[in-house]
């Protein structure tokens, strides 16, 4: 009994010291992180846990439902592809061609109206909103200095950073994009409660506009620029400029760092497959939505070609434009948005096709910087056309 008491005393002391260290270091985000990962049997976030954070509604207007193709859900997918999608815990696969839904399947209790976190697909949405602000004249040009909007970027190395650099992930900032460390920017931003102070404390490291480095903080900074440029939250701006004119069928939500706080713009835009697909349609139609030019076609065109950068190894960038990923597959140029757990909006201009996949898992990233499961969903969508 005495030995047990000693063990319990030591455990209590260790826990107490750990709590002191958490408070002293300012890493109180760890409580929420641990409570919503390891205590729930996971090592990372979930597509349906958005309710644990405050959020801001992105209001929709008059819905514009998708048409159903005359071949709706008549296509078949090979069992091998089905097995791969099942292993990756797919919850939805939606295929739209020529503005009509050709195929859609939902799994694991999901349906066409059920919402999912987009994770880094939100970066693409911030990119689209930047194009809108440029068209509206709230941003003068992509080469306008970030310091025109954020005073922290008026002097020193940061003064060289322009909006274009944030769009192309080439700002040269020292954000630490480590998804395993609970002390790196992604975890601090996701579970923390003061995103602005966190993001603005990082410094310029490299000459901007030279090296492509995928950093979530670049997109968060761009969202701060948009808020200053438009005088609105990016949720309200997204509602006014995208969700309402594009006829979204449901309101969307953007998770905040705190109640009435700022949007986690690098991630955490919450919607469903059918409404996510509208973003693909907008860009397949060169920024035009049923006769209304929402984004200039010149901006769209620049968004889906490689930015003139090199990667960390000195190789020419071939895979990233203005917040869209780029790949060529089966001789077809493709642009797409993606999230860390396998969220995709895939656009194939040659076929006037949009594929939206949502799910719980993503496979490893190949040397060309594209997750291998991306091609599983493209193959499945192509099969579903027959």
């Amino acid at each position: 009994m005495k030995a047990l008491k000693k063990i319990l005393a030591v455990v209590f002391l260790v826990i107490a010291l750990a709590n002191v260290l958490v408070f002293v270091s300012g890493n109180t985000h760890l409580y929420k992180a641990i409570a919503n990962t390891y205590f729930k049997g996971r090592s990372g976030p979930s597509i349906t846990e958005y309710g644990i954070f405050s959020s801001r509604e992105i209001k929709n207007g008059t819905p514009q439902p998708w048409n159903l193709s005359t071949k709706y859900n008549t296509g078949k997918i090979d069992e091998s592809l089905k097995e791969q999608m099942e292993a990756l815990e797919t919850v939805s696969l939606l295929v739209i061609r020529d503005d009509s839904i050709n195929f859609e399947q939902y799994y694991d209790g999901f349906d066409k109206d059920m919402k999912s976190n987009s994770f880094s697909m939100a970066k693409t949405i911030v990119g689209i909103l930047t194009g809108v602000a440029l068209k509206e004249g709230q941003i003068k040009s992509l080469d306008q200095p970030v310091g025109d909007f954020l005073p922290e970027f008026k002097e020193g190395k940061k003064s060289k950073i322009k909006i274009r650099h944030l769009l192309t992930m080439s700002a040269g900032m020292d954000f630490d994009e480590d998804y395993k460390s609970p002390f790196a920017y992604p975890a601090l931003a996701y579970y923390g409660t003061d995103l602005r102070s966190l993001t603005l404390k990082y410094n310029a490291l490299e000459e901007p506009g030279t090296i492509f480095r995928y950093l979530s903080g670049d997109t968060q900074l761009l969202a701060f620029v948009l808020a200053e440029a438009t005088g609105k939250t990016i949720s309200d701006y997204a509602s006014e400029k995208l969700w309402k004119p594009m006829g979204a069928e449901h309101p969307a939500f953007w998770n905040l760092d705190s109640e009435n706080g700022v949007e986690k713009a690098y991630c955490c835009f919450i919607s469903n497959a059918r409404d996510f697909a509208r973003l693909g349609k907008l860009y397949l139609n060169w920024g035009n939505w049923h006769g209304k030019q929402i984004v200039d076609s010149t901006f769209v065109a620049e968004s889906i070609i490689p930015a003139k950068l090199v990667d960390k190894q000195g190789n020419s960038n071939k895979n990233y434009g203005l917040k869209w990923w780029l790949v060529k597959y089966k001789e077809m140029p493709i642009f797409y948005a993606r999230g860390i757990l396998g969220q995709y909006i895939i656009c194939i201009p040659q076929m006037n096709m949009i594929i939206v996949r949502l799910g719980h898992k993503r496979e490893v990233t190949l040397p060309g910087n594209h997750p291998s499961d991306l091609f599983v969903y493209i193959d499945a969508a192509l099969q579903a056309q027959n």
Side-chain angles (χ1 to χ4, degrees):
M1 183 62 72
K2 289 182 179 180
L4 178 59
K5 287 182 178 179
K6 285 183 179 181
I7 292 171
L8 291 174
V10 170
V11 170
F12 179 80
L13 181 60
V14 169
I15 293 173
L17 288 173
N19 277 277
V20 170
L21 286 172
V22 167
F23 276 101
V24 170
S25 65
N27 289 305
T28 54
H29 72 286
L30 290 173
Y31 292 122
K32 193 159 194 169
I34 293 170
N36 289 285
T37 53
Y38 295 110
F39 282 7
K40 293 185 177 180
R42 292 184 278 105
S43 60
S46 162
I47 62 172
T48 56
E49 71 177 3
Y50 47 83
I52 69 174
F53 302 107
S54 297
S55 63
R56 187 166 285 126
E57 184 180 22
I58 299 158
K59 295 181 174 64
N60 64 325
T62 303
Q64 299 172 30
W66 290 98
N67 295 322
L68 298 183
S69 167
T70 55
K71 297 181 179 180
Y72 176 73
N73 274 2
T74 59
K76 303 294 181 183
I77 299 174
D78 286 350
E79 286 301 320
S80 61
L81 288 176
K82 286 182 180 179
E83 289 174 5
Q84 290 180 71
M85 290 195 294
E86 182 179 344
L88 291 164
E89 299 181 21
T90 298
V91 300
S92 63
L93 181 70
L94 171 69
V95 183
I96 293 172
R97 190 170 184 189
D98 297 328
D99 289 346
S100 295
I101 298 177
N102 206 325
F103 182 89
E104 65 181 334
Q105 289 291 317
Y106 299 94
Y107 316 88
D108 193 30
F110 269 67
D111 59 33
K112 65 182 178 62
D113 301 315
M114 193 165 177
K115 292 178 170 59
S116 165
N117 194 336
S118 66
F119 292 108
S120 286
M121 289 203 309
K123 294 179 172 69
T124 301
I125 297 173
V126 175
I128 296 170
L129 291 174
T130 304
V132 175
L134 181 65
K135 179 180 182 296
E136 300 280 320
Q138 292 149 329
I139 291 173
K140 295 176 184 177
S141 80
L142 298 188
D143 293 312
Q144 188 172 3
V146 171
D148 286 359
F149 303 94
L150 303 178
E152 295 86 354
F153 283 73
K154 286 187 177 295
E155 298 179 356
K157 290 183 179 180
K158 286 184 177 182
S159 66
K160 295 181 179 181
I161 299 174
K162 300 176 181 179
I163 291 171
R164 180 184 304 279
H165 302 144
L166 298 179
L167 277 168
T168 57
M169 298 286 193
S170 64
M173 296 286 289
D174 62 350
F175 295 109
D176 43 346
E177 195 78 4
D178 185 339
Y179 296 103
K180 295 181 180 179
S181 171
F183 305 105
Y185 182 84
L188 290 166
Y190 189 69
Y191 293 107
T193 57
D194 191 352
L195 189 50
R196 190 178 184 92
S197 294
L198 169 69
T199 306
L200 293 176
K201 78 175 186 180
Y202 287 82
N203 298 309
L205 182 67
E206 300 167 336
E207 185 71 19
T210 56
I211 300 176
F212 169 78
R213 294 186 187 277
Y214 186 86
L215 299 172
S216 294
D218 281 10
T219 304
Q220 191 60 50
L221 285 171
L222 186 56
F224 293 151
V225 168
L226 284 175
E228 295 295 330
T230 63
K232 299 175 181 178
T233 68
I234 59 168
S235 293
D236 288 344
Y237 198 59
S239 170
E240 178 185 342
K241 301 299 181 180
L242 295 178
W243 232 233
K244 287 181 178 179
M246 293 195 311
E249 293 189 67
H250 300 281
F253 298 88
W254 218 321
N255 279 155
L256 309 176
D257 62 348
S258 60
E259 188 174 358
N260 299 318
V262 299
E263 288 85 351
K264 300 176 188 180
Y266 67 94
C267 78
C268 311
F269 187 104
I270 317 301
S271 187
N272 61 83
R274 286 191 176 191
D275 282 342
F276 278 134
R278 298 173 191 277
L279 301 167
K281 175 180 175 177
L282 179 67
Y283 265 53
L284 282 179
N285 290 323
W286 301 100
N288 190 284
W289 190 273
H290 296 176
K292 178 180 175 62
Q293 199 70 35
I294 294 176
V295 186
D296 278 340
S297 59
T298 53
F299 182 86
V300 174
E302 186 174 356
S303 298
I304 57 175
I305 60 173
K308 294 179 180 179
L309 304 166
V310 297
D311 62 20
K312 291 176 285 187
Q313 289 74 41
N315 303 311
S316 295
N317 166 54
K318 297 179 181 179
N319 304 314
Y320 204 75
L322 306 183
K323 294 288 185 253
W324 288 92
W325 290 96
L326 314 171
V327 68
K328 193 170 186 178
Y329 184 60
K330 295 187 174 178
E331 302 304 314
M332 298 185 295
I334 295 169
F335 60 94
Y336 70 99
R338 79 188 194 201
I340 194 171
L341 296 182
Q343 294 70 44
Y344 295 101
I345 303 170
I346 305 165
C347 302
I348 309 178
Q350 189 171 318
M351 301 187 69
N352 196 23
M353 180 185 290
I354 306 156
I355 307 162
V356 178
R357 186 272 182 180
L358 304 173
H360 294 285
K361 291 183 180 179
R362 190 175 91 185
E363 286 189 342
V364 296
T365 300
L366 300 171
N369 218 349
H370 303 292
S372 58
D373 59 302
L374 167 72
F375 307 107
V376 171
Y377 311 124
I378 297 174
D379 286 342
L382 294 176
Q383 284 187 6
Q385 300 307 295
N386 299 323

